[in-house]
Amino acid sequence: ITEVIVVMYCYLYFGPDGRNDVAVNRIVSNMVGIVVAVVLAFVPPGVWGGDPSHCREIVDKIETNSSNYLDILLKSREVTDTTKLEELSTTLMQKKDTDLAA
């Protein structure tokens, strides 16, 4: 499909006189891509940034919060008393506020 794009681009945009310009453009683009690949090949694997342990902490926090929310919601299925449901709702909203503040 790249060849079709290049040929159509050359034919419709530049015309027959611009074939050499398009060819030079593609050659330079390919050479730059090859140089970038060679440079990146010298970068040792694993030198991409900081320690990802903070991501594990975030995932653990999300897992804990989701478990707590589901626990509160499942407890509310057993309750038929309106005041108890209001208390659970208040607890849930307070938990949401503290989780968003953290």
Side-chain angles (χ1 to χ4, degrees):
I1 193 161
T2 304
E3 292 85 11
V4 173
I5 292 171
V6 170
V7 169
M8 294 303 290
Y9 181 69
C10 178
Y11 179 74
L12 295 175
Y13 187 72
F14 285 113
D17 298 332
R19 289 186 305 184
N20 292 336
D21 296 336
V22 173
V24 169
N25 183 9
R26 297 305 305 159
I27 291 170
V28 170
S29 297
N30 285 331
M31 294 305 279
V32 168
I34 291 168
V35 168
V36 168
V38 168
V39 168
L40 288 179
F42 286 114
V43 176
V47 181
W48 297 106
D51 183 25
S53 64
H54 65 281
C55 293
R56 174 44 82 190
E57 293 173 13
I58 292 171
V59 169
D60 289 342
K61 184 74 170 169
I62 290 172
E63 183 179 341
T64 303
N65 289 341
S66 299
S67 174
N68 291 339
Y69 282 124
L70 285 174
D71 188 41
I72 291 171
L73 291 173
L74 289 175
K75 285 181 183 176
S76 69
R77 291 182 67 185
E78 303 167 355
V79 178
T80 56
D81 185 22
T82 308
T83 57
K84 183 66 176 167
L85 284 173
E86 287 178 3
E87 289 175 13
L88 285 172
S89 175
T90 304
T91 304
L92 189 62
M93 295 308 286
Q94 288 173 348
K95 177 157 182 42
K96 176 191 68 93
D97 292 337
T98 57
D99 288 342
L100 290 177

